[in-house]
mmCIF file of all heavy atoms in Angstrom:
data_model
loop_
_atom_site.group_PDB
_atom_site.id
_atom_site.type_symbol
_atom_site.label_atom_id
_atom_site.label_comp_id
_atom_site.label_asym_id
_atom_site.label_seq_id
_atom_site.Cartn_x
_atom_site.Cartn_y
_atom_site.Cartn_z
ATOM 1 N N LEU J 1307 -19.088 -3.920 3.104
ATOM 2 C CA LEU J 1307 -19.803 -2.664 3.316
ATOM 3 C C LEU J 1307 -20.992 -2.560 2.365
ATOM 4 O O LEU J 1307 -22.049 -2.038 2.738
ATOM 5 C CB LEU J 1307 -18.867 -1.471 3.125
ATOM 6 C CG LEU J 1307 -19.513 -0.094 3.317
ATOM 7 C CD1 LEU J 1307 -20.155 0.028 4.702
ATOM 8 C CD2 LEU J 1307 -18.498 1.028 3.107
ATOM 9 N N GLU J 1308 -20.825 -3.061 1.155
ATOM 10 C CA GLU J 1308 -21.947 -3.002 0.213
ATOM 11 C C GLU J 1308 -23.134 -3.804 0.736
ATOM 12 O O GLU J 1308 -24.287 -3.422 0.536
ATOM 13 C CB GLU J 1308 -21.496 -3.508 -1.153
ATOM 14 C CG GLU J 1308 -20.574 -2.516 -1.863
ATOM 15 C CD GLU J 1308 -20.227 -2.940 -3.272
ATOM 16 O OE1 GLU J 1308 -19.306 -3.756 -3.445
ATOM 17 O OE2 GLU J 1308 -20.902 -2.454 -4.199
ATOM 18 N N TRP J 1309 -22.873 -4.945 1.380
ATOM 19 C CA TRP J 1309 -23.962 -5.694 2.016
ATOM 20 C C TRP J 1309 -24.648 -4.807 3.058
ATOM 21 O O TRP J 1309 -25.878 -4.744 3.124
ATOM 22 C CB TRP J 1309 -23.401 -6.959 2.673
ATOM 23 C CG TRP J 1309 -24.441 -7.926 3.153
ATOM 24 C CD1 TRP J 1309 -25.436 -7.683 4.053
ATOM 25 C CD2 TRP J 1309 -24.610 -9.285 2.741
ATOM 26 N NE1 TRP J 1309 -26.194 -8.805 4.256
ATOM 27 C CE2 TRP J 1309 -25.717 -9.806 3.460
ATOM 28 C CE3 TRP J 1309 -23.921 -10.127 1.872
ATOM 29 C CZ2 TRP J 1309 -26.150 -11.120 3.307
ATOM 30 C CZ3 TRP J 1309 -24.358 -11.430 1.724
ATOM 31 C CH2 TRP J 1309 -25.454 -11.919 2.432
ATOM 32 N N ALA J 1310 -23.853 -4.114 3.850
ATOM 33 C CA ALA J 1310 -24.416 -3.245 4.884
ATOM 34 C C ALA J 1310 -25.242 -2.116 4.281
ATOM 35 O O ALA J 1310 -26.244 -1.682 4.867
ATOM 36 C CB ALA J 1310 -23.290 -2.672 5.741
ATOM 37 N N LEU J 1311 -24.840 -1.629 3.113
ATOM 38 C CA LEU J 1311 -25.563 -0.530 2.482
ATOM 39 C C LEU J 1311 -26.956 -0.949 2.014
ATOM 40 O O LEU J 1311 -27.835 -0.099 1.845
ATOM 41 C CB LEU J 1311 -24.759 0.021 1.294
ATOM 42 C CG LEU J 1311 -23.456 0.759 1.636
ATOM 43 C CD1 LEU J 1311 -22.713 1.134 0.376
ATOM 44 C CD2 LEU J 1311 -23.731 1.989 2.492
ATOM 45 N N TRP J 1312 -27.167 -2.243 1.799
ATOM 46 C CA TRP J 1312 -28.498 -2.715 1.433
ATOM 47 C C TRP J 1312 -29.416 -2.823 2.657
ATOM 48 O O TRP J 1312 -30.629 -2.997 2.514
ATOM 49 C CB TRP J 1312 -28.410 -4.082 0.737
ATOM 50 C CG TRP J 1312 -27.962 -3.981 -0.692
ATOM 51 C CD1 TRP J 1312 -26.719 -4.196 -1.195
ATOM 52 C CD2 TRP J 1312 -28.783 -3.618 -1.812
ATOM 53 N NE1 TRP J 1312 -26.698 -3.995 -2.553
ATOM 54 C CE2 TRP J 1312 -27.962 -3.641 -2.964
ATOM 55 C CE3 TRP J 1312 -30.127 -3.281 -1.964
ATOM 56 C CZ2 TRP J 1312 -28.432 -3.331 -4.238
ATOM 57 C CZ3 TRP J 1312 -30.605 -2.980 -3.241
ATOM 58 C CH2 TRP J 1312 -29.767 -3.017 -4.346
ATOM 59 N N CYS J 1313 -28.837 -2.715 3.834
ATOM 60 C CA CYS J 1313 -29.641 -2.789 5.054
ATOM 61 C C CYS J 1313 -30.277 -1.440 5.365
ATOM 62 O O CYS J 1313 -29.908 -0.404 4.806
ATOM 63 C CB CYS J 1313 -28.781 -3.267 6.219
ATOM 64 S SG CYS J 1313 -28.210 -4.977 6.034
ATOM 65 N N ASP J 1314 -31.216 -1.461 6.296
ATOM 66 C CA ASP J 1314 -31.964 -0.241 6.630
ATOM 67 C C ASP J 1314 -31.311 0.574 7.735
ATOM 68 O O ASP J 1314 -31.631 1.753 7.904
ATOM 69 C CB ASP J 1314 -33.382 -0.627 7.079
ATOM 70 C CG ASP J 1314 -34.120 -1.438 6.023
ATOM 71 O OD1 ASP J 1314 -34.410 -0.876 4.954
ATOM 72 O OD2 ASP J 1314 -34.360 -2.640 6.260
ATOM 73 N N TYR J 1315 -30.411 -0.064 8.467
ATOM 74 C CA TYR J 1315 -29.827 0.608 9.623
ATOM 75 C C TYR J 1315 -28.473 -0.026 9.870
ATOM 76 O O TYR J 1315 -28.314 -1.249 9.758
ATOM 77 C CB TYR J 1315 -30.731 0.390 10.845
ATOM 78 C CG TYR J 1315 -30.658 1.440 11.921
ATOM 79 C CD1 TYR J 1315 -31.527 2.535 11.912
ATOM 80 C CD2 TYR J 1315 -29.743 1.334 12.964
ATOM 81 C CE1 TYR J 1315 -31.488 3.492 12.920
ATOM 82 C CE2 TYR J 1315 -29.698 2.287 13.979
ATOM 83 C CZ TYR J 1315 -30.572 3.364 13.954
ATOM 84 O OH TYR J 1315 -30.537 4.309 14.946
ATOM 85 N N ARG J 1316 -27.476 0.809 10.193
ATOM 86 C CA ARG J 1316 -26.116 0.311 10.399
ATOM 87 C C ARG J 1316 -25.604 0.760 11.767
ATOM 88 O O ARG J 1316 -25.691 1.949 12.108
ATOM 89 C CB ARG J 1316 -25.179 0.820 9.297
ATOM 90 C CG ARG J 1316 -25.351 0.092 7.972
ATOM 91 C CD ARG J 1316 -24.978 0.964 6.789
ATOM 92 N NE ARG J 1316 -25.864 2.124 6.700
ATOM 93 C CZ ARG J 1316 -27.095 2.093 6.190
ATOM 94 N NH1 ARG J 1316 -27.577 0.970 5.702
ATOM 95 N NH2 ARG J 1316 -27.838 3.188 6.167
ATOM 96 N N ILE J 1317 -25.102 -0.208 12.511
ATOM 97 C CA ILE J 1317 -24.503 0.058 13.816
ATOM 98 C C ILE J 1317 -23.088 -0.503 13.790
ATOM 99 O O ILE J 1317 -22.869 -1.627 13.326
ATOM 100 C CB ILE J 1317 -25.299 -0.630 14.951
ATOM 101 C CG1 ILE J 1317 -26.769 -0.207 14.900
ATOM 102 C CG2 ILE J 1317 -24.692 -0.304 16.310
ATOM 103 C CD1 ILE J 1317 -27.668 -1.014 15.839
ATOM 104 N N CYS J 1318 -22.116 0.263 14.261
ATOM 105 C CA CYS J 1318 -20.757 -0.263 14.343
ATOM 106 C C CYS J 1318 -20.186 -0.005 15.733
ATOM 107 O O CYS J 1318 -20.720 0.807 16.490
ATOM 108 C CB CYS J 1318 -19.851 0.336 13.258
ATOM 109 S SG CYS J 1318 -19.283 2.014 13.559
ATOM 110 N N THR J 1319 -19.127 -0.694 16.039
ATOM 111 C CA THR J 1319 -18.493 -0.527 17.345
ATOM 112 C C THR J 1319 -17.378 0.495 17.266
ATOM 113 O O THR J 1319 -16.873 0.832 16.184
ATOM 114 C CB THR J 1319 -17.917 -1.853 17.858
ATOM 115 O OG1 THR J 1319 -16.759 -2.185 17.077
ATOM 116 C CG2 THR J 1319 -18.935 -2.963 17.781
#
Side-chain angles (χ1 to χ4, degrees):
L1307 180 57
E1308 288 186 277
W1309 190 302
L1311 292 175
W1312 283 100
C1313 294
D1314 303 294
Y1315 206 92
R1316 284 152 297 281
I1317 305 170
C1318 77
T1319 72

